[in-house]
Amino acid sequence: MRSDLIDNAMAVSGACIRCLVYTILALPAVLVIVSSFTSGETMNFPPAGFSLRWYQKVWENDLFMSALWTSTYVAVLVALVALVIGFASAFAINRFSFPGKAFLQGLAFSPLIVPAVVLGIGLLQLFAGLGLTRTIYPLLLGHLVLAIPYVMRTILASLALQQRVLEEAAMNLRATPLQVIRRITLPLILPGLLSAAIFAFVTSFGNVTVSAFLTYGGKVTLPVQIFAYVDTSYDPLVAAVSSIMILVTLSVILTIERLIGAERLA
Amino acid sequence: MLNLSKDRETAVRDANEFVVELRSVSKHYGESIAVANVSLGARRGELLCLLGPSGCGKTTTLRMVAGFVEPTSGTVSINDIDMTRQPPYRRDTGMVFQSYALFPHMTVAENVAFGLENLKWARAEREERVKEMLRLVELPHLAERLPGQLSGGQQQRIALARALAMRPSVLLLDEPFSNLDAQLRVRMREELREVIRGVDVTTLFVTHDQEEALTMSDRIVVMNAGRIEQVGTPGEIYEAPSTSFVAKFIGWCSLLDGIVDADGTFRSSGGLCLKGNWSPGPGTAVIRPEQIRLFSHGAKGVAQNARVLQSHYYGGATRLLLDVNGEQLTMQDRFPFGRHPKVGDVLNITICIDDMRMISAAPS
């Protein structure tokens, strides 16, 4: 009787807290998206009227459009490269024991511990010394360092869940190690690979702290451009750009989830 | 279902060449020894079973033949070629795993074709062979299904079809029935045996189930603690166990330690006396449940009084634990309805010593 009462109270308060957390998490994004459709000159909530004029302004703004392109380009590249490096190292860590394995694992996760600002400054100094500050490499490398820990973690988890006996069966059926990876290992951890790619893309696409130091050839990423813009002016243009960012991120996640879903149904 | 080759047994007996041969194979994991100095060979077309309790090294032995485990010492050869250091994909074996290990992202047909693709078979021949194999295991209608949509028995048959499709020199079966329920297990056992006989492939088969081993094998290798205890036909293993471990592991039995007198009479340390003509010396008598019968007049043997300690009804038979002159013996018989012995009853029994096995203590 009494424990029923406690159970019920726990369930109700749990539901309330969950609602509260979700609301607080989603509220800023919702506010930004709603106020981006304003027809007025200032950021207000509720917005004054409805129009797409700020989206048109973004479209016409070369700085923002070029930054959006740079961000997307860098994020896609980072996702692809992080996937290759992440899979290779996760596979090695999962399958083999070799000297320095624990060190490699620790090294891969260390970017989570080092503050991103420190990383940014360090990379800036390094590439300035190498004379490569006008190339895309510093930005790519900085984002890769941030993305690889997530990618490795996700792929390591997938590999740990995978049944090794399937690979043995493939080898018994005369498949060479490379054929086993291509036809058995990779297809079976595909969901893990895709979510790792999402992690990498989102990490790169949303990053400010490292990107701020590593602009190249006058090009900046979208979050850095937003940051710079807000420093001088505060109008609904920023809300519209931010909404576009949210849209890009969400559509990447949803597309890949659909892909995984479709893969599982097939 | 299939044409059984005639005179198969004589063929097996005559063919003395080993398709698979292990010579003094050992496998150590650090300090622990999984397999110790095992030598065995499977003849062409033979169904050889590795039988033993879990942890006896039978699966490790099988995996050394498949190439998943590298022996610490000794050699493994297949078709007289030393394969000890060759990777699994260069060995002419087909394996059915305990969990079947069908690829979940491929259809049944793709699973069966996988090995053939790796062997670079032409597409048309591949498709023909897949159809043939699915007909062999009587599941041609499931070709386009995914493994997840199949029952356990169906998965097992597909795993067998996949392993046999490549026409391997040796088929390896690792506890293939342990994931099936009891009734299905018996049916699949008979089916599998028939398929294997039909394609006449040399087979190494690992199990911990003595009934499986007795019904399926041409010869049985009984293993214990990494060593071979005895190799022989099912009949030899059951009727003439060479160690008390084998006697105990294969079927129910009572083991009595004692001494055989100069006149051939066995006296157990508990005080039971059996007249026979065994060779004198210390020994262990192996008494199978079916060697103990209810005494009837005119029957051979001496009547003894036995008190029922436990009574277990198994439907077709009743298994009794008896106290005979201070020794505990297991007896199995069918009793008429309503006349099942109860605990505490005293029965008049006789112990049939004609085919009783006496294991002499190892000469020291």
Side-chain angles (χ1 to χ4, degrees), chain A residues 163 165-177 179-180 183-184 187-188 263-266, chain B residues 63 68 89 91-95 97 99 101-106 114-115 117-119 146 162 166:
Chain A
Q163 289 181 49
V165 68
L166 295 176
E167 293 177 3
E168 286 185 348
M171 256 195 269
N172 180 254
L173 295 163
R174 314 290 188 274
T176 60
Q179 286 172 318
V180 173
R183 297 203 54 196
I184 307 296
L188 288 178
E263 185 67 31
R264 281 190 181 151
L265 284 176
Chain B
R63 289 173 64 80
F68 299 127
Y89 50 89
R91 298 190 186 201
D92 194 11
T93 69
M95 185 154 169
F97 291 81
S99 60
L102 296 178
F103 307 129
H105 58 303
M106 296 184 193
F114 189 84
E117 285 171 37
N118 293 325
L119 287 173
L146 287 173
R162 184 176 71 173
M166 305 176 291

Side-chain angles (χ1 to χ4, degrees), chain A residues 36 54-55 58 64 222 226 236-246:
Chain A
S36 73
W54 295 107
Y55 284 89
V58 174
F64 275 117
L222 194 56
I226 294 173
L237 185 69
V238 180
V241 176
S242 306
S243 303
I244 291 170
M245 264 196 85
I246 294 168

Side-chain angles (χ1 to χ4, degrees), chain A:
Chain A
M1 239 351 219
R2 199 196 160 105
S3 64
D4 277 1
L5 210 68
I6 295 174
D7 276 355
N8 278 335
M10 294 287 272
V12 169
S13 55
C16 289
I17 291 172
R18 267 201 302 280
C19 283
L20 197 69
V21 169
Y22 289 144
T23 311
I24 291 172
L25 282 177
L27 200 59
V30 171
L31 285 180
V32 166
I33 292 170
V34 171
S35 42
S36 73
F37 290 107
T38 185
S39 54
E41 291 293 323
T42 52
M43 280 253 263
N44 277 324
F45 193 87
F50 176 86
S51 84
L52 292 174
R53 59 181 283 215
W54 295 107
Y55 284 89
Q56 199 189 343
K57 282 215 163 166
V58 174
W59 179 253
E60 287 160 358
N61 188 313
D62 283 345
L63 280 179
F64 275 117
M65 287 315 286
S66 127
L68 175 62
W69 169 239
T70 306
S71 273
T72 313
Y73 177 68
V74 168
V76 169
L77 265 182
V78 164
L80 290 177
V81 179
L83 217 51
V84 173
I85 297 175
F87 174 73
S89 39
F91 191 80
I93 288 172
N94 181 261
R95 294 302 158 81
F96 308 108
S97 56
F98 49 89
K101 176 170 161 173
F103 177 72
L104 177 68
Q105 221 166 342
L107 195 70
F109 294 141
S110 63
L112 299 177
I113 304 157
V114 177
V117 182
V118 176
L119 184 70
I121 296 173
L123 283 171
L124 180 62
Q125 274 189 317
L126 173 70
F127 283 98
L130 292 171
L132 290 171
T133 43
R134 296 193 62 77
T135 64
I136 195 174
Y137 300 114
L139 194 58
L140 266 185
L141 200 76
H143 285 190
L144 269 179
V145 169
L146 292 178
I148 283 173
Y150 295 108
V151 171
M152 257 178 80
R153 254 183 196 210
T154 315
I155 297 177
L156 267 176
S158 302
L159 283 175
L161 285 175
Q162 206 218 348
Q163 289 181 49
R164 294 287 293 281
V165 68
L166 295 176
E167 293 177 3
E168 286 185 348
M171 256 195 269
N172 180 254
L173 295 163
R174 314 290 188 274
T176 60
L178 264 179
Q179 286 172 318
V180 173
I181 289 181
R182 188 172 61 81
R183 297 203 54 196
I184 307 296
T185 316
L186 284 178
L188 288 178
I189 63 163
L190 189 68
L193 290 177
L194 290 176
S195 46
I198 296 180
F199 271 129
F201 182 92
V202 172
T203 305
S204 164
F205 197 71
N207 183 273
V208 181
T209 25
V210 170
S211 306
F213 293 97
L214 303 173
T215 58
Y216 72 103
K219 287 186 178 167
V220 296
T221 61
L222 194 56
V224 175
Q225 178 61 39
I226 294 173
F227 220 67
Y229 187 83
V230 172
D231 208 26
T232 55
S233 43
Y234 186 66
D235 61 30
L237 185 69
V238 180
V241 176
S242 306
S243 303
I244 291 170
M245 264 196 85
I246 294 168
L247 184 77
V248 171
T249 312
L250 264 183
S251 52
V252 166
I253 294 173
L254 290 178
T255 313
I256 289 183
E257 272 200 345
R258 282 295 286 272
L259 279 178
I260 297 176
E263 185 67 31
R264 281 190 181 151
L265 284 176

Side-chain angles (χ1 to χ4, degrees), chain B residues 45-62:
Chain B
E46 185 179 42
L47 209 160
L48 185 69
C49 175
L50 302 179
L51 174 68
S54 57
C56 74
K58 56 190 193 299
T59 296
T60 307
T61 306
L62 191 79

